[in-house]
Amino acid sequence: MLPSGELVKFEHGQDMVLFNITGAEEDKRVFRIPTLRNLSLTAPYFHDGSAATIEEAIAIMAKVQVEKTIDPGEEVAIVAFLKSLVGEQPQIVIPILPPE
Ligand code: HEM
C-alpha cells in the first residue's frame, strides 16, 4: 500500500470528518494516510480535492506534515518517485443495487 494507512492529524482545510462522528477533540482533522500507488493518476489530491496537482500536494505535505520547504530538485525527485509507483489501475465495478 505504501504507506501504512494510519489515522493522523493533518491541519489543512475545514473538514472535521472523524470528529463529526465521534465528537472527540483529538479526532479533529484526523485523516487516513492514503496509498501512494497510482497516485499520479488520481488528481486532485487530499480528502477535499484542494490540491490540483501532485506538485501542490507535495509542497503542502512538506510544509504541514514535515515543516520543510521542498526545493525544485527535491520536488522533481519526489514526483519521479511517486510516478514510479504507477501500475495497473484496478477496474472498480460499481454494483447495481436492487430497488427499494
Ligand atoms: C514530504 C513528505 C510527504 C510527501 C511527499 C507526501 C505526499 C502526499 C500526497 C501526494 C498526498 C495526497 C494523496 C491523495 O490525495 O491521494 C498525501 C496525503 C496524505 N499524507 Fe502525505 N506526504 C508526506 C508526508 C506525510 C507525513 C509525514 C504524514 C503523516 C504524519 C502524511 C500524512 C498524510 C495524510 C493523512 C494524507 C491524506 C490527507 C487528506 O486526505 O486530506 N504525509 N501525502
Side-chain angles (χ1 to χ4, degrees):
M1 285 294 282
L2 277 176
S4 62
E6 277 171 87
L7 292 171
V8 297
K9 279 260 183 217
F10 177 41
E11 299 284 354
H12 172 79
Q14 298 305 312
D15 296 346
M16 291 295 165
V17 190
L18 190 56
F19 172 79
N20 290 337
I21 299 164
T22 66
E25 194 61 26
E26 66 270 20
D27 288 342
K28 279 188 177 169
R29 298 206 176 87
V30 161
F31 298 95
R32 191 173 299 285
I33 304 178
T35 179
L36 298 180
R37 291 224 177 262
N38 293 331
L39 185 99
S40 59
L41 307 179
T42 59
Y45 299 104
F46 303 141
H47 64 279
D48 55 0
S50 58
T53 63
I54 200 166
E55 289 81 4
E56 200 183 328
I58 292 167
I60 292 170
M61 271 285 134
K63 186 165 167 235
V64 177
Q65 298 301 79
V66 199
E67 294 178 8
K68 281 193 188 322
T69 307
I70 296 282
D71 70 41
E74 288 170 324
E75 184 190 280
V76 167
I78 294 170
V79 171
F81 168 68
L82 291 173
K83 286 190 171 169
S84 79
L85 302 176
V86 170
E88 199 177 315
Q89 183 75 311
Q91 295 301 310
I92 297 171
V93 179
I94 300 171
I96 298 167
L97 300 176
E100 282 179 46

